[in-house]
Amino acid sequence: MHSILNAAPILSFCEAEQTLLQLTTAIASNDKNYTTIEGLAYMNDGQLIKTARRNVMKDLDSLPMPAWDIIDMAPYKKMWLKSTGTFYQPGNHTRVPLKCNWCAKPIYGNRYNTRSPENVVKELKVLKEKFQFEHVWFCDDI
């Protein structure tokens, strides 16, 4: 991990969504004490600091809607339409309950966390209005 930290001075491991929000908030306020932010590894005065593990996020609906307004979707839409004929692929779950040896199950366990159908439909409606997609491809691991 030491060599990785030479390229990236702070790493987020496990559940990154809440960790990165807390880290960016700390950085924006010039708070350099990251010891209370769960899920980080960083060097401090030559010492490797690894904070407590963050618990696995189970309520994916608690995450905010992606900031689609700050992304220029035109190049992505063009590429996806050219290669697949579809445009939008909603991310509606994390983890899988399978026991594949190559997977991240040592980190996340055999959980299968999903967004609610209502939450996915809400995002689809926003994106349909904003980007006028004609097809949706649900690409789940299982």
Side-chain angles (χ1 to χ4, degrees):
M1 186 175 295
H2 290 272
S3 62
I4 293 171
L5 287 169
N6 289 333
I10 302 173
L11 297 176
S12 173
F13 59 92
C14 297
E15 296 287 323
E17 292 87 352
Q18 294 168 327
T19 300
L20 292 177
L21 176 61
Q22 291 178 339
L23 177 62
T24 55
T25 300
I27 290 170
S29 65
N30 287 326
D31 181 0
K32 298 196 186 309
N33 181 4
Y34 308 137
T35 58
T36 60
I37 302 173
E38 295 175 338
L40 287 180
Y42 59 96
M43 299 298 288
N44 186 11
D45 292 329
Q47 294 290 104
L48 174 64
I49 307 294
K50 188 173 176 186
T51 64
R53 258 178 92 102
R54 184 170 296 279
N55 290 331
V56 173
M57 178 179 259
K58 296 175 185 172
D59 180 14
L60 301 183
D61 287 353
S62 68
L63 293 171
M65 182 91 51
W68 294 108
D69 58 312
I70 64 172
I71 299 172
D72 178 9
M73 290 300 286
Y76 295 102
K77 185 174 182 177
K78 182 179 177 182
M79 180 209 48
W80 276 104
L81 287 172
K82 181 179 177 183
S83 65
T84 67
T86 62
F87 169 49
Y88 177 61
Q89 297 179 311
N92 61 336
H93 77 280
T94 61
R95 324 299 174 257
V96 295
L98 306 176
K99 297 180 179 5
C100 307
N101 289 329
W102 50 266
C103 192
K105 70 182 177 190
I107 297 171
Y108 299 115
N110 292 324
R111 297 196 50 82
Y112 184 67
N113 301 326
T114 63
R115 293 169 56 196
S116 69
E118 296 82 8
N119 187 272
V120 174
V121 168
K122 178 182 172 185
E123 185 175 4
L124 287 172
K125 286 179 177 178
V126 168
L127 292 172
K128 175 66 175 170
E129 182 178 316
K130 187 166 184 63
F131 300 114
Q132 299 80 44
F133 62 81
E134 295 178 13
H135 303 279
V136 176
W137 177 25
F138 288 93
C139 183
D140 288 337
D141 295 330
I142 59 171

